[in-house]
Amino acid sequence: MKFSAANAAQRLRSASPYLVAGIVALAGAFWFGWQGLQSGATEDLGRQVEAARVEVAGKVGDQARLAVEQLEAARSRIALTTALKRNDDPAARDVIAQALPGAEAIEWHEPGLNAAYEKAADFGYGKLGVLEMALQNNGAQAAVVMDAGGPRLGVAAPVLEDGRVLTLVYVRLPVEGLTAPVQAATLSGGYLALRQGRQTISEAGDTTLAGLAEADAVKIPGTGLRVVGAAPAIDAGLGTWTNYLFAALCLVVGLGLVAMPHLKGLRLERRPAEGSVAVDEPTMAELQARGEAEPPPAPLAVAAAATAGAATGARPVPVRASLERSIFRAYDIRGVVGKTLDAETARLIGQAIGTLMHNKDARTVVVGRDGRLSSPQMADALIQGLRQAGCEVINIGEAPTPVVYFAAYQLRAGSCVSVTGSHNPPDYNGFKIVIEGETLSGDAIVDIYERIAENRLHLADTPGLVSHRDVTDDYIQRIAGDIQIERKLKVVVDCGSGIAGLIAPRLMEAIGADVEPLFCEVDGTFPHHHPDPSDPANLRDLVDVVQRVGADIGLAFDGDGDRLGVVTKSGEMIYPDRLLMLFAADVLERNPGACIIYDVKCTGHLAMHILRNGGSPLMWKTGHSLIKAKMRETEAELAGEMSGHFFFRERWYGFDDGLYAAARLLEILASRPETPQEVFDTLPKGVSTPELKIEMEEGEQYAFVEKFLATAKFEGARIATIDGLRADWPDGWGLVRASNTTPVVVMRFDAKDTEVLERIKNAFREQMLAVRPDLNLPF
């Protein structure tokens, strides 16, 4: 048999299919085996973390329970009440110290906690919270609080005699009894932490896993504490035993393929059949070498002539001089379509937003729109501008503004634009903008205008792509998966023909409510009433239907679904600042000491209500973007505005969402045995006006308020000027501020009774008319 280089090549060509396939199969065996080892290690570590989480929770719970039981026993001793009645402080302290030998401090507080509330910040919101819980539950309570310069275990209880509270006792204990089990836990690559609210009290292990640890948290009964843990999330493929099975199969197949040529007695050369001609067939590589490469796809054409020249390096065409400065407002962009806002302006705004995203290395943006007649045109133009700047656009179509915000989280975009005129008349439209999680306001909005005016706009070499998604079901399922009301409530839902009508009835039904829809068909002309629930006149139809069908409560939403209004069966409008009281008390049950933000238009009762529920109140400027920025700064768990915007960071994402707020409200009301009206009647209430408005020419409201600030004098009042002018007296307050969304001056007055309310209104009337005598005041 003749052996030659040609024969060797022929042999290699004949053997190589088996050899290559065998090597691939053996490589697969190695890969599946490695995945099996990884999966096994992951599962072992997961079981280790789970066991440690349960064990540590048990130990922490034992320590907290022991402290509560010790104080509970001590407060019931006759020796304690006897010593307190005799004003024998050393003897009373001895009783507590004997029961809790590790106590660092023992304090007595009068049941009203008036002195503590006078200087709540110095006293400590956490201490106030645990003392209030002890009063409300009439027993010993424990919580981790900031005291003596650091975290401590605070235990408090009322001391009773014949059912009367003699005093409140507070005991400060070292926190190490709770943190020691965490630090002593055996972990090999996992993470474990003890948390209360959003605070991490102690942690151990790989802290890069902290953000993954909340799933399956183990709560400590009787406290707000929980133990969380996480193991590294390794992609282990198909699971341990499945990986091993595939590894074995690949090993057998691979060995068989490698041995196949020898088993078949592979010949060194192939002979052509008699009478035929041997032809060397080209290999796949040879075939591919003869082929021609496909031409690259042509880029999308740049749609707008105004920026086409820049694609070749030419100087961009200057923008038109008619760009209206007034539409760029304090916390969004909003104008009258056909007058101050058109499709070309929307395109330029889109390109400017895309430029800001480009500067932040952000690329993907979600766009949604409300149901106004102009919104499809505005959204298309906006998307065109975004694409010209290189953005990848996810168009979710018609959606309430909160759903647009949700989509930015759900689709991991980080940026979004809602095309909406909010609660403004039908001829308005605008844009609410979020870039990399930050809602644009103030200087950032001005920067968009300046970029357009100065033509500092980025033009990408290749326009971005557009995809379409519908996240409605995801949004409803996300909320309904967390909230299911305990008893059925009959609810009338009035969407005022706004875009919330697409979702609100479905969402309320999904959480267990019996829903009667009202004006839930989307109609951009708003034929029934204006979609602004802050105006009592817009709630008359809702009150009528609630009473006619015997509903428990009525819910109203604004034009884009980020604001909530509420009425009861009696026809009472529950103002948003009173709703915020209810939300705050609920959130503070799980997050004692948390910061709660409210705007300058809210009642003076709100701050005291937050304090009495163990929270930290903070008044801030009106405006959804301004409130969200302050929430990020302070890590507040909850915020609200008198306009009906509510921002939940606890269990939600921190953006304003009227739909989600409605679900949380029904959750609270359904958990109480009282009727909704009876629940609201328990909240502090004075005498107040709704938001009162004076219409002015565009921009004129700012000039008036500026002059009012310079000249107004209110004797005996504490003046706040963070947003307009608010004058607070011990028995009431009044406010004048310029609206940033419409050309109006906004006023509100609140007092303990009608007589005081009239006094405050008269004081403001005198000062306002002194600035401008021709004003037609609505009060």
Side-chain angles (χ1 to χ4, degrees):
M1 181 172 60
K2 185 178 179 181
F3 187 85
S4 65
N7 290 334
Q10 182 70 31
R11 177 184 177 186
L12 182 60
R13 283 199 299 268
S14 300
S16 61
Y18 297 104
L19 181 61
V20 171
I23 292 172
V24 170
L26 291 174
F30 174 80
W31 186 85
F32 280 116
W34 174 251
Q35 286 290 92
L37 290 172
Q38 292 285 85
S39 177
T42 301
E43 292 172 3
D44 288 344
L45 183 55
R47 285 190 290 268
Q48 180 189 16
V49 170
E50 173 62 24
R53 183 166 48 201
V54 173
E55 180 184 2
V56 169
K59 292 179 179 178
V60 172
D62 289 343
Q63 289 294 319
R65 186 166 50 254
L66 177 62
V68 169
E69 290 173 352
Q70 288 172 334
L71 185 58
E72 189 67 32
R75 78 176 186 119
S76 302
R77 291 187 58 188
I78 296 176
L80 179 61
T81 55
T82 301
L84 289 171
K85 289 170 65 177
R86 292 177 177 174
N87 293 322
D88 189 348
D89 185 69
R93 291 179 180 277
D94 284 343
V95 174
I96 300 299
Q98 289 172 14
L100 293 102
E104 295 179 347
I106 299 168
E107 300 173 5
W108 314 103
H109 299 283
E110 50 91 13
L113 295 172
N114 295 318
Y117 277 112
E118 285 180 4
K119 296 183 177 180
D122 295 335
F123 184 81
Y125 295 114
K127 286 173 62 176
L128 265 174
V130 73
L131 286 163
E132 283 285 3
M133 285 192 298
L135 269 175
Q136 293 170 11
N137 293 284
N138 195 27
Q141 298 288 311
V144 174
V145 302
M146 289 300 296
D147 196 3
R152 297 290 192 275
L153 175 60
V155 192
V159 181
L160 308 177
E161 184 188 42
D162 297 329
R164 181 175 64 89
V165 180
L166 291 177
T167 188
L168 290 169
V169 58
Y170 168 82
V171 182
R172 187 177 76 222
L173 295 166
V175 78
E176 284 72 20
L178 303 181
T179 60
V182 177
Q183 299 302 319
T186 302
L187 298 172
S188 302
Y191 173 80
L192 207 64
L194 176 65
R195 291 178 179 172
Q196 179 177 269
R198 300 185 71 87
Q199 303 302 314
T200 297
I201 298 160
S202 180
E203 59 185 353
D206 184 358
T207 56
T208 62
L209 301 173
L212 306 173
E214 283 296 335
D216 300 320
V218 181
K219 296 182 179 179
I220 310 300
T223 73
L225 299 167
R226 65 191 184 281
V227 178
V228 302
I234 299 174
D235 183 4
L238 303 172
T240 304
W241 295 109
T242 305
N243 277 312
Y244 285 154
L245 175 61
F246 275 97
L249 288 174
C250 288
L251 180 63
V252 171
V253 172
L255 291 175
L257 288 170
V258 170
M260 185 66 73
H262 302 286
L263 295 175
K264 292 181 65 176
L266 181 66
R267 290 175 300 180
L268 292 176
E269 64 177 295
R270 292 181 296 167
R271 298 179 182 274
E274 186 175 351
S276 66
V277 180
V279 179
D280 285 337
E281 297 179 359
T283 65
M284 179 63 72
E286 290 169 338
L287 287 173
Q288 290 174 335
R290 296 174 189 174
E292 294 183 359
E294 295 183 5
L300 291 172
V302 178
T307 52
T312 59
R315 181 178 179 84
V317 179
V319 299
R320 57 186 184 150
S322 60
L323 182 67
E324 181 61 52
R325 171 66 178 82
S326 65
I327 69 174
F328 297 85
R329 307 189 179 222
Y331 35 84
D332 56 23
I333 300 172
R334 206 173 301 184
V336 179
V337 177
K339 294 183 179 179
T340 58
L341 179 63
D342 58 18
E344 175 61 12
T345 301
R347 184 192 67 78
L348 291 168
I349 289 170
Q351 192 174 357
I353 294 169
T355 301
L356 294 176
M357 291 179 59
H358 173 75
N359 293 343
K360 292 177 178 286
D361 292 325
R363 186 165 177 81
T364 305
V365 58
V366 172
V367 174
R369 67 179 190 271
D370 68 12
R372 292 166 187 268
L373 302 184
S374 63
S375 289
Q377 180 191 31
M378 292 295 108
D380 288 346
L382 176 85
I383 290 172
Q384 181 185 355
L386 288 166
R387 294 182 63 205
Q388 288 174 336
C391 294
E392 305 292 336
V393 179
I394 304 175
N395 186 356
I396 65 170
E398 285 192 329
T401 294
V403 178
V404 180
Y405 295 153
F406 170 80
Y409 285 92
Q410 178 76 3
L411 304 178
R412 303 183 184 279
S415 303
C416 64
V417 183
S418 179
V419 180
T420 177
S422 188
H423 61 281
N424 289 101
D427 55 344
Y428 276 74
N429 218 321
F431 309 93
K432 295 180 178 180
I433 307 160
V434 176
I435 296 180
E436 290 293 275
E438 179 183 355
T439 303
L440 299 197
S441 64
D443 291 342
I445 297 289
V446 173
D447 183 52
I448 291 179
Y449 167 76
E450 292 176 347
R451 284 181 179 277
I452 297 173
E454 299 168 8
N455 206 13
R456 293 185 288 112
L457 301 176
H458 173 67
L459 182 65
D461 293 334
T462 303
L465 301 177
V466 181
S467 60
H468 296 267
R469 291 286 298 271
D470 184 352
V471 299
T472 300
D473 290 340
D474 293 333
Y475 177 83
I476 292 173
Q477 291 168 10
R478 168 66 176 83
I479 297 175
D482 178 52
I483 298 174
Q484 287 294 311
I485 61 177
E486 295 181 14
R487 61 184 175 92
K488 191 171 286 293
L489 295 173
K490 189 166 187 177
V491 180
V492 179
V493 174
D494 180 1
C495 296
S497 303
I499 196 66
L502 289 180
I503 289 182
R506 289 178 57 194
L507 175 60
M508 298 306 118
E509 288 175 349
I511 67 172
D514 181 8
V515 176
E516 179 76 24
L518 177 65
F519 309 141
C520 289
E521 76 292 345
V522 179
D523 185 336
T525 64
F526 309 128
H528 303 291
H529 64 72
H530 195 57
D532 181 359
S534 67
D535 185 348
N538 296 326
L539 302 177
R540 291 170 185 162
D541 293 328
L542 178 60
V543 171
D544 289 344
V545 176
V546 168
Q547 294 175 338
R548 187 169 68 248
V549 303
D552 294 293
I553 197 169
L555 305 175
F557 301 96
D558 75 331
D560 65 334
D562 60 3
R563 296 166 57 200
L564 171 66
V566 175
V567 299
T568 65
K569 190 182 296 187
S570 68
E572 180 185 5
M573 175 184 176
I574 306 300
Y575 287 124
D577 49 5
R578 297 185 69 216
L579 292 177
L580 189 55
M581 294 180 191
L582 202 61
F583 291 141
D586 177 64
V587 168
L588 290 168
E589 283 184 7
R590 295 175 294 277
N591 302 273
C595 179
I596 310 293
I597 298 175
Y598 59 97
D599 78 325
V600 295
K601 295 184 289 184
C602 289
T603 176
H605 295 290
L606 179 57
M608 186 57 68
H609 188 77
I610 293 170
L611 283 169
R612 288 202 171 274
N613 281 276
S616 174
L618 175 63
M619 184 169 69
W620 194 238
K621 302 175 184 179
T622 295
H624 66 94
S625 57
L626 307 178
I627 292 287
K628 280 180 275 193
K630 199 65 176 178
M631 286 186 76
R632 286 195 304 274
E633 176 188 333
T634 61
E635 296 188 342
E637 295 287 355
L638 173 69
E641 294 183 283
M642 187 61 193
S643 59
H645 288 274
F646 296 100
F647 312 75
F648 287 86
R649 199 165 74 124
E650 192 226 29
R651 296 165 54 190
W652 200 234
Y653 300 96
F655 53 73
D656 42 330
D657 190 339
L659 301 165
Y660 179 75
R664 288 287 289 261
L665 176 63
L666 296 188
E667 180 186 44
I668 294 169
L669 296 176
S671 69
R672 305 271 289 267
E674 308 99 314
T675 66
Q677 183 69 64
E678 290 170 340
V679 172
F680 293 129
D681 286 344
T682 64
L683 300 174
K685 181 182 179 182
V687 180
S688 62
T689 67
E691 287 190 16
L692 305 172
K693 300 175 182 178
I694 305 174
E695 294 186 1
M696 295 190 171
E697 294 297 322
E698 188 70 56
E700 192 178 10
Q701 73 271 28
Y702 300 112
F704 173 82
V705 171
E706 184 176 353
K707 190 172 182 181
F708 184 74
L709 282 168
T711 61
K713 304 292 182 184
F714 295 98
E715 293 296 328
R718 185 177 70 255
I719 303 299
T721 57
I722 58 173
D723 187 2
L725 186 148
R726 173 166 168 156
D728 278 82
W729 290 271
D731 51 1
W733 58 274
L735 168 74
V736 171
R737 62 176 293 273
S739 170
N740 289 308
T741 57
T742 52
V744 299
V745 171
V746 179
M747 297 147 291
R748 191 172 185 232
F749 307 103
D750 182 277
K752 71 174 185 178
D753 56 41
T754 304
E755 182 180 347
V756 174
L757 184 68
E758 288 303 317
R759 188 197 79 211
I760 294 174
K761 287 162 66 174
N762 288 336
F764 271 81
R765 183 182 296 110
E766 179 183 345
Q767 297 294 325
M768 294 179 73
L769 292 175
V771 173
R772 185 169 161 179
D774 64 331
L775 284 179
N776 183 18
L777 297 176
F779 63 93

